[in-house]
């Protein structure tokens, strides 16, 4: 399939920003989509908007997912649950947002369907495997469901691909790639606590720090 266009799930963190710069080399037309789902680190959306602007995407779509206000079982949605410090210890982690990626991908697929976009990009990587909806078997199943339900696919006899080129990569490898691509990591944000400056001790802060230190980046 010719790589014409793609819509990238953009959180504002370093993985999805790197994916954005990576796909800019391969696709003539790049869209980005971000989600406001009541996450306690919703400040990331401000960063996502800036990154999308710097990347020069064709359009950056920001979507509200209000249903998550009814979900209290995740530390990312309920401020009364502490964000753990240190590396992930439980599986799935308390920071899991139930069924997040199936919602993100299905909403992105709406725009793929109406704008006739063949690829949906997602920055999941090897360190995300504690989260069930970041695993290869989920990605493959989501792609199958999207193709089965798409009017664009039915009419044009084309495919919609879920593009997850970082699936086998570690965060350090992603950082190395991003350095070569010139990703402006100072414009990205990852902290689960949503503080400014970032807390420096939650799992995502630690992963980010380790990855960026490995490429000699000084925050
Ligand atoms: Zn943090």
């Amino acid at each position: 399939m010719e790589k014409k266009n793609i819509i990238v799930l953009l959180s504002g963190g370093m993985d999805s920003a790197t994916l954005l710069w990576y796909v800019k080399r391969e696709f003539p037309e790049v869209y980005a989509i971000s989600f406001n789902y009541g996450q306690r680190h919703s400040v990331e959306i401000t960063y996502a908007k800036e990154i999308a602007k710097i990347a020069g995407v064709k359009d950056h779509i920001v979507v509200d997912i209000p249903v998550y206000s009814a979900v209290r079982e995740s530390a990312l949605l309920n401020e009364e649950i502490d964000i753990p410090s240190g590396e992930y210890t439980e599986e799935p982690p308390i920071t899991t947002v139930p069924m997040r990626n199936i919602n993100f991908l299905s909403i992105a697929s709406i725009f793929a369907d109406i704008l006739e976009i063949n690829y949906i990009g997602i920055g999941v990587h090897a360190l995300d495997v504690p989260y069930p909806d970041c695993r290869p078997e989920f990605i493959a199943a989501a792609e199958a469901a999207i193709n089965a339900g798409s009017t664009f696919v039915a009419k044009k006899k084309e495919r919609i691909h879920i593009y997850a080129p970082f699936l086998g990569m570690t965060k350090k490898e992603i950082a190395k790639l991003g350095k070569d691509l010139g990703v402006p990591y100072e414009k990205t944000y990852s902290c689960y606590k949503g503080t400014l400056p970032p807390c420096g001790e939650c799992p995502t802060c630690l992963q980010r720090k380790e990855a960026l230190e490995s490429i000699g980046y000084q925050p």
Side-chain angles (χ1 to χ4, degrees):
M1 171 64 65
E2 187 195 350
K3 288 175 173 168
K4 284 182 304 203
N5 49 19
I6 186 166
I7 183 165
V8 172
L9 272 52
L10 181 67
S11 69
M14 61 174 283
D15 307 322
S16 59
T18 308
L19 181 59
L20 200 56
W21 261 255
Y22 184 76
V23 303
K24 276 202 315 175
R25 297 188 317 181
E26 298 190 314
F27 292 83
E29 203 172 77
V30 178
Y31 295 79
I33 186 166
S34 302
F35 301 96
N36 182 6
Y37 54 98
Q39 67 271 48
R40 67 202 276 174
H41 57 308
S42 61
V43 65
E44 68 179 4
I45 295 165
T46 313
Y47 285 80
K49 286 179 181 168
E50 179 71 12
I51 292 161
K53 205 159 87 183
I54 298 167
V57 299
K58 186 174 169 69
D59 194 12
H60 179 214
I61 300 157
V62 181
V63 178
D64 288 332
I65 311 181
V67 67
Y68 281 116
S69 65
V71 179
R72 313 311 297 149
E73 288 78 7
S74 167
L76 289 196
L77 301 172
N78 183 349
E79 300 218 348
E80 289 171 13
I81 303 176
D82 287 336
I83 303 277
S85 296
E87 303 287 338
Y88 294 122
T89 49
E90 42 175 1
E91 195 170 315
I94 189 67
T95 45
T96 302
V97 175
M99 310 308 283
R100 181 169 56 182
N101 281 343
I102 198 168
N103 278 287
F104 285 5
L105 290 171
S106 75
I107 292 169
S109 78
I110 297 171
F111 296 96
D113 210 38
I114 60 179
L115 299 171
E116 302 195 343
I117 297 171
N118 281 111
Y119 286 80
I120 300 172
I122 181 167
V124 290
H125 56 77
L127 302 189
D128 282 332
V129 295
Y131 296 105
D133 63 351
C134 292
R135 294 174 187 160
E137 57 267 41
F138 165 74
I139 300 294
E143 182 178 285
I146 286 168
N147 279 281
S150 165
T151 49
F152 162 51
V153 169
K155 272 197 301 205
K156 297 287 177 74
K157 309 283 182 244
E158 294 189 23
R159 294 277 303 168
I160 295 174
H161 305 262
I162 297 185
Y163 192 51
F166 300 162
L167 260 182
M169 288 171 68
T170 66
K171 198 128 170 152
K172 282 185 189 173
E173 289 168 333
I174 293 169
K176 167 80 174 60
L177 174 66
K179 187 184 184 185
D180 295 342
L181 293 170
V183 179
Y185 284 130
E186 72 281 2
K187 304 282 188 192
T188 62
Y189 182 91
S190 303
C191 178
Y192 280 159
K193 291 192 181 168
T195 56
L196 287 172
C199 78
E201 56 192 30
C202 72
T204 187
C205 272
L206 291 180
Q207 284 188 355
R208 173 189 169 92
K209 189 163 166 273
E210 195 188 0
L212 291 180
E213 277 178 1
S214 75
I215 56 163
Y217 171 87
Q218 298 294 334

